[in-house]
Amino acid sequence: MKKRVVPMLFSGLKNLTELRHDLVAGFFVFLIALPLCMGIAMASGFPPVSGLLTAIIGGMIVPWLAGSNAQLTIKGPAAGLIAIAISCVNELGQGDLLKGYVCTLAVIVAAGIVQLLLALLRFGRFSDSVPLSVVHGMLAAIGIIIISKQTHVLLAAKVNEPDILKSLAAIPESLLNIHPIAGGIGLLS
């Protein structure tokens, strides 16, 4: 059987007979990812509706526009970016969450334009020059940030420390002052 040539932009959509299956699968992924998308949006200092839009775009539109195999395309919420997004909202808004949200959106648009330019200039071939230890270090740092912030939430402790090291240092205190019911449910979960 002869393979159909598909334009690069729509290479994720193989043929029209798969369209119905892709729509159903995309819709179910959207329903499953919806609470996660809204939760990550709220944790990042964004309004919940932005999580809804992310779920719609990521689950139903991106697979069709993917330049690679649609199953391999990263198209969902990334909890690791919460720390970066909330820091951006707080820093750019200087206390005003709405202003911070709008400024963060502007930064995201600017970053997207830079990514498009780098893609057009074929800069992706240089990604192998970044040592793997740098990537691992970045991912470890994101993990430490998440642990330092979410451990207090898990234990139902009231710690509002923006500094990561101080938040890590406050974990033993949160363990000693754990709320019995809420912390128990968190630990059981």
Side-chain angles (χ1 to χ4, degrees):
M1 186 170 146
K2 191 174 183 183
K3 287 200 172 198
R4 193 176 133 205
V5 177
V6 181
M8 179 73 163
L9 185 61
F10 294 101
S11 63
L13 182 61
K14 304 292 186 254
N15 59 47
L16 293 178
T17 60
E18 293 178 0
L19 177 61
R20 182 172 54 95
H21 299 292
D22 288 344
L23 280 173
V24 171
F27 180 71
F28 281 111
V29 167
F30 157 74
L31 287 179
I32 292 167
L34 182 63
L36 179 63
C37 290
M38 293 177 73
I40 287 179
M42 292 168 56
S44 299
F46 287 28
V49 71
S50 64
L52 177 64
L53 293 174
T54 301
I56 292 169
I57 292 168
M60 300 186 79
I61 296 173
V62 171
W64 296 347
L65 303 177
S68 65
N69 191 352
Q71 291 87 358
L72 302 176
T73 305
I74 298 171
K75 54 191 172 281
L81 296 178
I82 292 173
I84 295 169
I86 193 67
S87 296
C88 199
V89 168
N90 288 335
E91 189 68 31
L92 294 175
Q94 297 176 351
D96 182 359
L97 290 180
L98 181 61
K99 179 183 172 189
Y101 168 66
V102 171
C103 290
T104 301
L105 289 180
V107 168
I108 291 170
V109 169
I113 291 169
V114 169
Q115 282 185 319
L116 287 173
L117 290 174
L118 292 174
L120 290 173
L121 295 172
R122 308 272 188 223
F123 269 68
R125 64 179 176 253
F126 297 115
S127 65
D128 289 336
S129 64
V130 176
L132 200 54
S133 59
V134 172
V135 176
H136 288 178
M138 179 196 71
L139 293 174
I142 290 172
I144 290 170
I145 291 170
I146 292 171
I147 289 169
S148 73
K149 298 293 185 180
Q150 295 305 309
T151 301
H152 304 293
V153 175
L154 174 78
L155 300 173
K158 302 269 188 213
V159 175
N160 200 7
E161 183 59 59
D163 184 67
I164 301 304
L165 295 176
K166 290 180 182 175
S167 182
L168 276 172
I171 290 176
E173 183 181 331
S174 292
L175 281 167
L176 293 174
N177 298 322
I178 186 170
H179 187 277
I181 296 172
I185 291 171
L187 288 173
L188 181 66
S189 299

